[in-house]
Amino acid sequence: LVESFLWVHVGSAEIGAMADVAQPSLAELTAQVAQMKADYDEALDTCWILVCAALVFFMHAGFTMLETGAVQLKNTQNILCKNGLVVVIATICWYLVGYGLAYGEPNTEGGSFCGTSYFAGSGFLEDQATGFNRWRDWFFQWAFCATCGTIVSGAMAERTALTGFAVYVAAMTTFVYPIVVHWTWSGAGWLNNETRTASYKDFAG
């Protein structure tokens, strides 16, 4: 009987304590749901971008197999090395200089020639704090930059030495591709920006 009394007393005290806890308002619940949705959207966006970048990156494997089958047997190792070298050089050049020239802050208003920020990852963490995932964008655009370099490797197969090919890839991924990207895809370049009436249109994406 004493134990039953204690159980009832303790249970009543717990129920009373729970009743004293302030329940969240509708506005607070709405804000929590909105924050959860934003977090899930960010995670899904990141997963989708990574998958798309991986699919683009696998073009290296396709070009490698195509070029290996198109060259003489004695040049097989050379073409394999070239396609691997593209990724290494493109990654370094895109990180240090290329991405900044392509997607950095415009050097002039109303028709910029090249970007002037985000070199070597500078400013990435600051943008992360404002809600824009600059690292994710860098990775996605890097896949295209590296693929752009390896496309030409087939035309240079059996025609250039490894050193000459390395110089080409460095120039392509550091200056040529990034500057053209800034003109067209950055939204601030002289071929495609809000102030021009006749601007560049990319129907292929």
Side-chain angles (χ1 to χ4, degrees):
L1 187 61
V2 174
E3 291 181 357
S4 300
F5 174 77
L6 290 175
W7 277 107
V8 171
H9 181 72
V10 172
S12 300
E14 290 179 352
I15 294 174
M18 293 175 62
D20 292 338
V21 177
Q23 299 299 318
S25 63
L26 180 60
E28 292 174 343
L29 290 175
T30 303
Q32 291 178 7
V33 171
Q35 182 60 45
M36 291 175 61
K37 182 179 182 301
D39 293 340
Y40 285 128
D41 288 346
E42 175 70 15
L44 290 174
D45 288 346
T46 300
C47 290
W48 175 243
I49 291 296
L50 293 179
V51 169
C52 292
L55 291 176
V56 174
F57 183 75
F58 269 110
M59 292 177 67
H60 289 276
F63 280 117
T64 300
M65 289 186 286
L66 172 65
E67 294 164 14
T68 302
V71 300
Q72 302 177 67
L73 180 62
K74 65 178 182 177
N75 295 321
T76 300
Q77 292 183 348
N78 180 269
I79 202 68
L80 291 173
C81 184
K82 282 182 177 179
N83 281 274
L85 192 65
V86 168
V87 179
V88 176
I89 296 177
T91 301
I92 297 172
C93 295
W94 184 246
Y95 175 74
L96 294 177
V97 179
Y99 184 82
L101 292 178
Y103 292 100
E105 296 296 326
N107 63 335
T108 57
E109 294 294 334
S112 174
F113 181 81
C114 65
T116 59
S117 59
Y118 300 128
F119 298 109
S122 62
F124 281 25
L125 295 179
E126 288 78 358
D127 283 2
Q128 186 83 16
T130 61
F132 183 78
N133 194 328
R134 184 68 62 179
W135 293 104
R136 180 181 65 196
D137 184 65
W138 180 93
F139 181 78
F140 181 71
Q141 301 299 340
W142 159 83
F144 284 94
C145 179
T147 303
C148 181
T150 200
I151 286 175
V152 189
S153 63
M156 301 176 70
E158 298 184 319
R159 293 176 174 87
T160 58
L162 194 61
T163 305
F165 180 74
V167 172
Y168 148 75
V169 173
M172 183 74 175
T173 57
T174 304
F175 302 108
V176 179
Y177 177 82
I179 290 178
V180 173
V181 166
H182 186 80
W183 292 352
T184 55
W185 293 341
S186 69
W190 66 275
L191 284 179
N192 185 18
N193 60 81
E194 297 177 354
T195 62
R196 290 182 60 86
T197 56
S199 57
Y200 164 86
K201 301 296 182 184
D202 180 12
F203 295 103

